[in-house]
């Protein structure tokens, strides 16, 4: 269905064809590293802005980060960037390993470096999770966000499978591959 829509749109409207051609070229110019860096920067920005006293900035940053994470997850699935899934799991789950809870035996034995790492993880990648969770469990929020990213990854994977039925997509991709091989 999407492939027929794209084919009819691009055959009837040259401006739409040029726009779609550019998007396809940009998609395939996105490396795994670029996709991961954009995902990470959005998460860091959300962590920084989630600490702002202004509620509008807090929630605007969370909304923008959600949009970026959706786009990067779908694009990674479209491009079959499997390392992105591993990175996403590490981003959402690893900080909980290093966070030191106050007034525990672990806190009494921690070094300055461990405290610094724990504070950094609590204030940057985990702050949005605490903000979303409110009085709930931030680890549950992280798990849900990880699952959403995985589902979006497979949606992107499915979109690419459907795109292969589009004549426009196939012709554009073949032209791009011919240009890359020169």
């Amino acid at each position: 269905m999407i492939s027929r829509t794209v084919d009819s749109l691009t055959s009837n409207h040259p401006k739409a064809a040029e726009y779609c051609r550019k998007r396809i070229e940009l998609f395939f110019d996105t490396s795994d590293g670029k996709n991961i860096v954009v995902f990470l920067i959005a998460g860091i920005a959300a962590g920084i802005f989630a600490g702002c006293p202004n509620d509008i900035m807090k929630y605007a940053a969370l909304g923008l980060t959600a949009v970026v994470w959706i786009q990067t997850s779908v694009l990674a699935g479209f491009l079959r960037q499997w390392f992105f899934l591993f990175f996403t799991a590490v981003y959402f789950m690893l900080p909980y390993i290093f966070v030191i809870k106050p007034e525990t035996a672990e806190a009494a034995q921690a070094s300055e470096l461990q405290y610094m790492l724990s504070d950094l993880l609590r204030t940057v990648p985990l702050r949005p999770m605490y903000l979303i969770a409110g009085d709930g469990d931030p680890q549950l929020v992280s798990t849900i966000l990880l699952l959403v990213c995985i589902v979006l990854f497979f949606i992107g994977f499915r979109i690419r499978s459907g795109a292969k039925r589009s004549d426009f997509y196939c012709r554009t991709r073949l032209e791009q591959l011919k240009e890359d091989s020169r």
Side-chain angles (χ1 to χ4, degrees), residues 21-78:
R21 185 173 285 111
K22 280 279 195 206
R23 293 301 141 245
I24 291 169
E25 289 171 3
L26 288 173
F27 282 178
F28 284 98
D29 284 342
T30 305
S31 68
D32 204 5
K34 287 179 188 175
N35 216 14
I36 287 171
V37 166
V38 170
F39 184 93
L40 184 61
I41 288 172
I44 291 170
I48 292 169
F49 283 109
C52 288
N54 186 341
D55 285 343
I56 294 172
M57 289 193 61
K58 280 182 192 180
Y59 294 108
L62 285 177
L64 186 60
T65 299
V67 169
V68 170
W69 284 351
I70 289 168
Q71 288 179 337
T72 56
S73 297
V74 171
L75 183 59
F78 186 84

Side-chain angles (χ1 to χ4, degrees), residues 120-131:
L120 180 67
L121 289 174
R122 197 175 304 128
T123 58
V124 180
L126 294 181
R127 189 182 286 159
M129 307 314 156
Y130 286 119
L131 180 65

Side-chain angles (χ1 to χ4, degrees), residues 100-110 114-115:
I100 299 172
K101 294 183 180 176
E103 301 175 9
T104 61
E106 185 182 31
Q109 297 171 354
Q114 289 171 322
Y115 271 123

Side-chain angles (χ1 to χ4, degrees), residues 5 8 10 13 32 42 51 57 87 92 115-116 135 167 174:
T5 305
S8 67
T10 55
H13 303 286
D32 204 5
M57 289 193 61
F87 170 78
F92 283 119
Y115 271 123
M116 184 181 72
D135 291 335
D167 290 334
L174 284 172

Side-chain angles (χ1 to χ4, degrees), residues 1-11 20 166 168-169:
M1 181 173 155
I2 292 174
S3 59
R4 280 183 277 150
T5 305
V6 169
D7 285 342
S8 67
L9 179 71
T10 55
S11 66
C20 289
S166 167
F168 176 79
Y169 171 81

Side-chain angles (χ1 to χ4, degrees), residues 98-162:
F98 293 108
V99 171
I100 299 172
K101 294 183 180 176
E103 301 175 9
T104 61
E106 185 182 31
Q109 297 171 354
S111 69
E112 289 296 318
L113 179 65
Q114 289 171 322
Y115 271 123
M116 184 181 72
L117 182 62
S118 176
D119 286 342
L120 180 67
L121 289 174
R122 197 175 304 128
T123 58
V124 180
L126 294 181
R127 189 182 286 159
M129 307 314 156
Y130 286 119
L131 180 65
I132 294 168
D135 291 335
D137 183 17
Q139 195 164 4
L140 178 64
V141 172
S142 292
T143 305
I144 290 169
L145 288 173
L146 172 61
L147 292 174
V148 167
C149 286
I150 291 170
V151 167
L152 289 169
F153 179 90
F154 286 107
I155 287 172
F157 197 86
R158 182 99 166 102
I159 289 172
R160 183 170 179 174
S161 297

